[in-house]
Amino acid sequence: MKNRFAFLVIAPKTGAQKRFSINKYLMYSILIFFLLFLCSGIIGAWKYRENMVIRKKYLLLEAKKGQLETVARNVKEIEKEESAIRELLGLEDIETQKKAP
């Protein structure tokens, strides 16, 4: 009985007694398994939360990327329109003549 834990359970109404005993090594193994299970759950929840924060940042950056691409397209269109207007007004020739000499 040295390597065993003994439990005594007494029913409150009837007073019946039950004795249980379990091997110490088995009890320690169960306790260690439970602690490992608990730690893995805590780490999993922490990683899940971290993943959600990263996902929010990713979605925000994707939205900003879309906005920047829209602005870049608008700038290119404006540059094309500007060059067309310069050609119509004849300003394109004057600028090339200033740069040439």
Side-chain angles (χ1 to χ4, degrees):
M1 289 292 259
K2 281 189 171 182
N3 289 331
R4 301 186 75 73
F5 284 116
F7 299 100
L8 177 63
V9 179
I10 302 173
K13 290 183 180 179
T14 60
Q17 298 181 357
K18 297 248 182 184
R19 292 182 189 262
F20 299 101
S21 67
I22 187 168
N23 191 341
K24 283 185 181 180
Y25 300 116
L26 180 63
M27 184 71 165
Y28 291 143
S29 299
I30 292 171
L31 182 63
I32 289 172
F33 177 75
F34 177 73
L35 289 175
L36 287 175
F37 187 71
L38 181 67
C39 289
S40 65
I42 291 170
I43 291 171
W46 177 57
K47 288 295 185 178
Y48 176 78
R49 184 173 176 263
E50 183 180 351
N51 188 27
M52 294 308 292
V53 168
I54 290 171
R55 186 163 188 69
K56 286 180 183 177
K57 287 181 183 178
Y58 171 76
L59 293 174
L60 181 65
L61 289 174
E62 280 291 319
K64 286 184 179 182
K65 179 184 172 187
Q67 290 174 349
L68 288 175
E69 287 174 351
T70 303
V71 169
R73 273 186 270 138
N74 289 342
V75 168
K76 285 183 182 179
E77 289 176 12
I78 290 170
E79 288 174 349
K80 286 180 185 177
E81 290 175 0
E82 180 188 13
S83 65
I85 291 172
R86 283 186 179 273
E87 275 186 40
L88 285 173
L89 296 176
L91 297 175
E92 197 69 32
D93 296 332
I94 295 172
E95 285 187 10
T96 54
Q97 289 173 1
K98 288 181 183 176
K99 291 181 183 176

